[in-house]
Amino acid sequence: LAKTTQPISMDSYEGQEVNITCSHNNIATNDYITWYQQFPSQGPRFIIQGYKTKVTNEVASLFIPADRKSSTLSLPRVSLSDTAVYYCLVGVGGNTDKLIFGTGTRLQVFP
Amino acid sequence: EPEVTQTPSHQVTQMGQEVILRCVPISNHLYFYWYRQILGQKVEFLVSFYNNEISEKSEIFDDQFSVERPDGSNFTLKIRSTKLEDSAMYFCATSSVRSYNEQFFGPGTRLTVL
C-alpha cells in the first residue's frame, strides 16, 4: 500500500477554507485516495474518496492532480466542530480489507 | 441514519483475564472489522471477517485474539488473556462491500487492563 505523508497539524479560524495536502508518490494505478475524519474518543468517519480530478460532496472536495502523486482535501468555511484529525489513505479498491491509517493531520479551528 | 454500536463503552479488567467486546453491525452489511487505537497512536487494523471466517488479519491479531458472529447479529472480539499493552480503544467497523471503500466505524470500547 502506498505510503502517505501529510502535515502533522494545521490551525485555522472559523469561516476559513482549509486545504490539507497529502503526498503519495508511489501510488499505484489501481489505488483510490480516501479521507477519514476522527474526533477525540470516536471512531474514524469516511469523508470522501476519489481516483482522479475532483470529487465534491456535501462535506468536502478532493482535488487530485493528473499525476495522482498528491491530493488535497478542501474543507469550505470550517467551524469549531471541524476540529479533528484528518487521515489520508491510499489503497487498492476491491483487493484488500484493511484500512492503513497514518498519523493524520490534526486540525484545530479557532473562533 | 444506521450506525454501528459497540458494548461496553468502557471495560476495565485485570491482566490475564478474558474480555469480550461486542459490536452490532449495520443490518445489511456483510463485512466486519476490528481496529484498535492505543492512546495517542495510530488506528491499527486487527482483523476482517466475512461469511463466518477471517478474511485478513494483522500481526497484532495473534492467538490471544479471536472473532466470531455467534448469533448472526453481534460480532465479537475476544481477548483470552489480556496484557497491559492491550489497553486501547477498540473500534468495530462494517461495510456493505469488500473494497477499499467506506467503512462505518462504531464509537469504540475503551479497554483498560490493570
Side-chain angles (χ1 to χ4, degrees), chain A residues 5-23:
Chain A
T5 303
Q6 42 182 135
I8 294 172
S9 64
M10 295 181 69
D11 293 337
S12 183
Y13 292 93
E14 282 191 293
Q16 289 190 333
E17 178 183 81
V18 170
N19 296 307
I20 306 174
T21 296
C22 178
S23 296

Side-chain angles (χ1 to χ4, degrees), chain A residues 19-52:
Chain A
N19 296 307
I20 306 174
T21 296
C22 178
S23 296
H24 27 82
N25 290 318
N26 59 340
I27 189 168
T29 304
N30 294 339
D31 285 346
Y32 283 78
I33 300 155
T34 312
W35 286 80
Y36 278 76
Q37 172 193 56
Q38 186 181 26
F39 298 114
S41 298
Q42 293 187 29
R45 184 175 75 104
F46 173 93
I47 302 175
I48 198 166
Q49 185 181 72
Y51 182 79
K52 62 180 180 180

Side-chain angles (χ1 to χ4, degrees), chain A residues 36 38 42-44 46 49 87 89-94 96-99 101-103, chain B residues 33 35 37 42-43 45 48 55-56 89 91 98-103 105-107 110:
Chain A
Y36 278 76
Q38 186 181 26
Q42 293 187 29
F46 173 93
Q49 185 181 72
Y87 299 97
L89 290 80
V90 176
V92 179
T96 183
D97 291 313
K98 60 189 176 195
L99 300 179
F101 289 86
T103 51
Chain B
Y33 316 87
Y35 294 82
Q37 186 173 32
K42 302 176 191 178
V43 176
F45 169 80
S48 59
S55 47
E56 196 169 356
M89 281 288 282
F91 296 109
R98 179 177 186 256
S99 71
Y100 197 79
N101 208 318
E102 182 170 6
Q103 293 183 13
F105 282 75
R110 179 170 298 284

Side-chain angles (χ1 to χ4, degrees), chain B:
Chain B
E1 184 178 322
E3 56 184 24
V4 176
T5 59
Q6 292 185 241
T7 54
S9 57
H10 192 184
Q11 172 96 47
V12 181
T13 189
Q14 296 290 326
M15 190 170 57
Q17 295 296 303
E18 175 183 284
V19 295
I20 298 176
L21 311 183
R22 291 182 170 79
C23 168
V24 178
I26 293 171
S27 63
N28 62 341
H29 285 188
L30 301 176
Y31 298 88
F32 315 116
Y33 316 87
W34 284 101
Y35 294 82
R36 80 170 186 193
Q37 186 173 32
I38 296 170
L39 185 63
Q41 298 188 25
K42 302 176 191 178
V43 176
E44 301 173 290
F45 169 80
L46 293 178
V47 66
S48 59
F49 188 86
Y50 168 69
N51 201 24
N52 283 321
E53 59 183 33
I54 290 173
S55 47
E56 196 169 356
K57 62 182 180 180
S58 72
E59 297 140 358
I60 303 169
F61 194 87
D62 61 21
D63 292 344
Q64 292 298 313
F65 292 88
S66 62
V67 289
E68 64 175 357
R69 201 166 179 223
D71 56 11
S73 60
N74 288 288
F75 176 51
T76 63
L77 174 69
K78 182 193 292 186
I79 309 175
R80 289 192 183 81
S81 178
T82 50
K83 302 188 278 286
L84 295 176
E85 54 265 36
D86 293 328
S87 294
M89 281 288 282
Y90 287 82
F91 296 109
C92 171
T94 74
S95 65
S96 58
V97 294
R98 179 177 186 256
S99 71
Y100 197 79
N101 208 318
E102 182 170 6
Q103 293 183 13
F104 294 80
F105 282 75
T109 293
R110 179 170 298 284
L111 176 65
T112 301
V113 182
L114 303 176

